[in-house]
Amino acid sequence: MPSLTGNGSQISVSDTVPPKFQAVCERESRFYRQRQEKARTDIADAGIGIDISDPALEVARRNCELHSMQDRAIFLTGCFGSFALDPLVMAQGPFDFIACNPPYISDRKANRMRATIGHEPQLALIAEDGGYQAYRDICKSLEANLSILRTGGSLGFEIGKDMAGGVRRIFSRWKETGAFEDQHGFLRVIVFQRPASV
C-alpha cells in the first residue's frame, strides 16, 4: 500500500482504486510536490488543481507538463469559500485527498517581511484574521459539502510557523491524522481526516 511518512506519521493510500486528489491553491507547496511525485511513481493518480489566480494556474499547467502528468490533471479557477460546492469540482470528485497551501501571513507580519516577500503576489501570501481566514473559508466550504471527500478521505495543509493551534481549533471536528515538520523542525503540514458529519 503506497504511503507518505514524516515524523512518525503515515498517510496510506489504497492501491485498489486509483486515488483522486485536489490541490486548493496550486502554489508550489513542498508537501504537494512530494505527494505529486509519489503519485507519479507509485500509483495511477488523477486530480484537479484550483487557484484564484489564472497566472498561477498556468504555471501549474506547465509544471504538470514538465513532469508528464498533463493527462491526469485538470486546472480550474476557484476560491476557498466555495470550491467544495462548485459544480465543476463536484463533477470530478469525490476526492481521496485534498492538498492545500493557502495564504497564511497576517497583515502585521507581512509589514515586517516586505523586503522578503515583496516580489511575491500578495494574494498568495497574506490572509485576514491574523493569517487564518483561508483556513476558516476552506473549513466552511468543506463542511457545507463533506461528500467532496470520500469517507475516510483527508485534507493536508501547509501552515505558517506557530499556527498549528489555531488551525487545529478551526478543524476541531476533524480527526488529525498527521503532522509534518520542515527541515528546521517547525510544524508545517497538518493532515485531517474527514468527519462522518458536522
Side-chain angles (χ1 to χ4, degrees), residues 61 64-75:
R61 282 185 193 94
C64 196
E65 291 169 7
L66 181 67
H67 295 287
S68 301
M69 294 184 68
Q70 64 272 17
D71 59 333
R72 296 191 290 186
I74 61 170
F75 298 94

Side-chain angles (χ1 to χ4, degrees), residues 126-161:
I126 301 169
E128 296 178 3
D129 192 22
Y132 292 98
Q133 189 60 52
Y135 300 101
R136 292 187 195 289
D137 291 346
I138 291 165
C139 186
K140 182 178 178 181
S141 182
L142 287 170
E143 290 185 353
N145 182 22
L146 284 174
S147 65
I148 197 75
L149 275 168
R150 291 188 198 281
T151 301
S154 297
L155 165 70
F157 278 118
E158 182 170 334
I159 61 171
K161 182 181 167 189

